[in-house]
Amino acid sequence: MVKLSLVEENYLKAIYHLSGHGQENVSTNAIALQIQTTPASVSDMVRKLAKKKVVEYTKYQGVNLTNEGTKMALRIIRKHRLWEVFLVKELKFHWDQVHDVAEQLEHIQSPLLIQRLDEYLGFPKFDPHGDPIPNEHGEIEEKPKLTLSSLKECESGIIAAVKDTSAEFLKYMDKIGVYLGAQVTVMDIEQFDRSQEIEIDGAKRIFVSKQVSENILITQ
Amino acid sequence: MVKLSLVEENYLKAIYHLSGHGQENVSTNAIALQIQTTPASVSDMVRKLAKKKVVEYTKYQGVNLTNEGTKMALRIIRKHRLWEVFLVKELKFHWDQVHDVAEQLEHIQSPLLIQRLDEYLGFPKFDPHGDPIPNEHGEIEEKPKLTLSSLKECESGIIAAVKDTSAEFLKYMDKIGVYLGAQVTVMDIEQFDRSQEIEIDGAKRIFVSKQVSENILITQ
DNA sequence: AATATTTTTTAGATTAGTTTAAATTTAATA
DNA sequence: TATTAAATTTAAACTAATCTAAAAAATATT
């Protein structure tokens, strides 16, 4: 298993977060924005990471994590989230005080430390923000996906996937402004046909039929 | 207050440990040996630290910490020792497993974290090795110094200072091979005149009169 | 399809920290 | 005191990570 510097670890983590937990290619610019550096630096670093086999990279096409890279990113995220639990639960930090400190603590190298910390905290499954904590093998339990149609009035979620992947459906999604990662809130449900009025990103409101809402998957 | 990099922090800490908690000049070679680098690197770094006013440095004469530098070193050592207490007391580490991890944790920057950790651990005064924990202002309670003459047979200590600082006495110390930091063990005490046979660094044995042993201070 | 715009990459330079080898200073010794 | 040995510093070069500016490729627009 390759050794990564602190900076390389931060790149991996950024790529993981930007890839939306899937394997879409992440752009140089997006990474630069995320970790507050220049696209030029990202270009260099990404080639270095590709040489270490933790990302796949083709010039001008962006990057995505290899299996090994994903596991490493998740191990860093595991540490970050376990430390967050410790800070909030044991040291009485407020949930909005923990991020910067956890950002430092996540780079501490000691498998024994993390194993003991996990045990000490009672093997928590979620961090103080509700995000799942990956296991020691770099595996994460995805949040269960629900259909948009299962939401009640006033409930909301994040668009995670679609069941119907036909070109027509995707084109329709595009037309009504529904995209992966969008925040949706159910404003109203028409009892007669189960159609919903939904609000996208707290702004635009649209109507979707039951047939459509049954084909949209969300996480909460 | 100046900001130090992780590497600079390690230099400060090394200089603190090598200066025997006093203000003797620490040699370039000694620092290089301590932190596993070359004397050339130390020369460069030490000039940088002098510019930041955390050490005093004159070429070819070695360095010693300024008041500010000592405080900073002690704040790092405070963090190191508090983390050691946490690892041993809470996470059930064995005392010989903690050093490498504490070496990483001591560089985490968060005054709140250390304040809360201190509180969480019940404001411990000593680390698992018995070393005192400096307070948040970079002040440390020195271990009490005893005279060599107060040691019983088979007891030992580390030479910490001398009461008589005359040139003659120091020359005599030098002659018999007693130096600051040397480990001494009392092998035998002559009841008649209270003179002692002492072993230095587990090797050389010499005889010292009561008059001499009353003027040598040790820590244990 | 040609042009303009945006994104991405390359090239060259910079900083922190390091190294090796050579030069210098200090300390030791004869 | 002159010489040798040891410690220290300088010089030049290297690595990791970064930046700015310019070149190249991809995308969008007319």
Side-chain angles (χ1 to χ4, degrees), chain B residues 77-142:
Chain B
I77 290 166
R78 168 176 166 78
K79 290 193 274 180
H80 183 104
R81 292 182 180 165
L82 280 174
W83 280 117
E84 284 196 346
V85 173
F86 173 70
L87 294 173
V88 169
K89 195 175 147 198
E90 306 296 329
L91 298 194
K92 308 301 174 201
F93 274 59
H94 198 251
W95 67 271
D96 59 355
Q97 297 177 307
V98 297
H99 192 264
D100 289 352
V101 188
E103 203 82 336
Q104 297 179 61
L105 288 164
E106 72 191 5
H107 300 292
I108 302 290
Q109 305 286 354
S110 168
L112 179 61
L113 173 61
I114 293 307
Q115 186 191 302
R116 290 284 171 84
L117 187 64
D118 193 22
E119 195 180 329
Y120 186 75
L121 299 170
F123 307 104
K125 292 281 158 279
F126 298 92
D127 77 7
H129 307 97
D131 294 314
I133 297 174
N135 69 20
E136 67 261 55
H137 305 108
E139 296 156 353
I140 194 166
E141 231 169 278
E142 289 294 336

Side-chain angles (χ1 to χ4, degrees), chain B residues 5 7-8 11 37-38 40-41 44-45 48 60-61:
Chain B
S5 74
V7 173
E8 289 171 327
Y11 271 89
T37 186
T38 60
S41 304
D44 275 357
M45 181 55 86
K48 218 176 116 189
Y60 297 102
Q61 301 307 130

Side-chain angles (χ1 to χ4, degrees), chain A:
Chain A
M1 203 202 300
V2 286
K3 268 263 168 197
L4 298 187
S5 73
L6 186 149
V7 172
E8 289 171 327
E9 287 197 344
N10 282 333
Y11 271 89
L12 269 205
K13 203 167 51 112
I15 295 167
Y16 178 84
H17 286 311
L18 290 167
S19 71
H21 315 240
Q23 62 283 323
E24 316 118 65
N25 281 14
V26 177
S27 80
T28 303
N29 255 8
I31 299 169
L33 210 72
Q34 172 90 357
I35 63 182
Q36 298 281 64
T37 185
T38 61
S41 304
V42 176
S43 270
D44 275 357
M45 181 55 86
V46 143
R47 196 173 303 108
K48 218 176 116 190
L49 292 172
K51 207 175 287 172
K52 294 193 177 186
K53 309 263 191 214
V54 293
V55 305
E56 275 170 26
Y57 168 58
T58 30
K59 275 192 343 186
Y60 297 101
Q61 300 307 131
V63 288
N64 54 335
L65 296 173
T66 62
N67 286 346
E68 188 59 26
T70 304
K71 272 187 209 163
M72 297 186 86
L74 284 170
R75 282 200 206 95
I76 301 162
I77 290 167
R78 168 177 166 76
K79 291 194 273 180
H80 182 105
R81 294 182 179 166
L82 281 173
W83 280 116
E84 284 196 345
V85 172
F86 173 70
L87 294 174
V88 168
K89 197 176 145 193
E90 306 296 331
L91 297 194
K92 308 302 174 200
F93 273 60
H94 199 251
W95 66 271
D96 59 355
Q97 297 177 307
V98 296
H99 192 263
D100 289 351
V101 187
E103 203 84 332
Q104 296 179 61
L105 287 164
E106 73 191 5
H107 300 291
I108 302 290
Q109 304 287 355
S110 169
L112 180 60
L113 172 61
I114 292 307
Q115 187 191 300
R116 289 284 170 84
L117 187 64
D118 193 22
E119 195 179 329
Y120 186 75
L121 298 171
F123 306 105
K125 291 282 159 279
F126 298 92
D127 77 8
H129 307 97
D131 294 314
I133 298 173
N135 69 20
E136 67 261 54
H137 305 107
E139 295 155 353
I140 195 166
E141 226 170 281
E142 289 294 335
K143 288 184 196 171
K145 287 183 185 122
L146 311 169
T147 62
L148 174 57
S149 60
S150 71
L151 289 193
K152 312 254 177 301
E153 279 172 20
C154 294
E155 291 182 341
S156 57
I158 305 286
I159 307 291
V162 288
K163 279 188 180 173
D164 182 346
T165 56
S166 69
E168 297 105 296
F169 189 69
L170 294 176
K171 212 167 286 177
Y172 174 66
M173 292 289 91
D174 213 55
K175 186 176 157 197
I176 62 178
V178 169
Y179 62 96
L180 241 59
Q183 155 115 30
V184 289
T185 309
V186 176
M187 307 309 291
D188 190 38
I189 301 177
E190 178 53 54
Q191 294 307 321
F192 169 65
D193 63 354
R194 311 291 303 166
S195 69
Q196 299 174 319
E197 183 187 9
I198 63 174
E199 190 176 78
I200 300 175
D201 290 333
K204 193 176 173 189
R205 287 187 183 191
I206 55 164
F207 289 88
V208 290
S209 69
K210 179 159 175 273
Q211 198 195 333
V212 168
S213 66
E214 278 175 334
N215 276 293
I216 297 177
L217 296 170
I218 57 148
T219 58
Q220 275 176 322

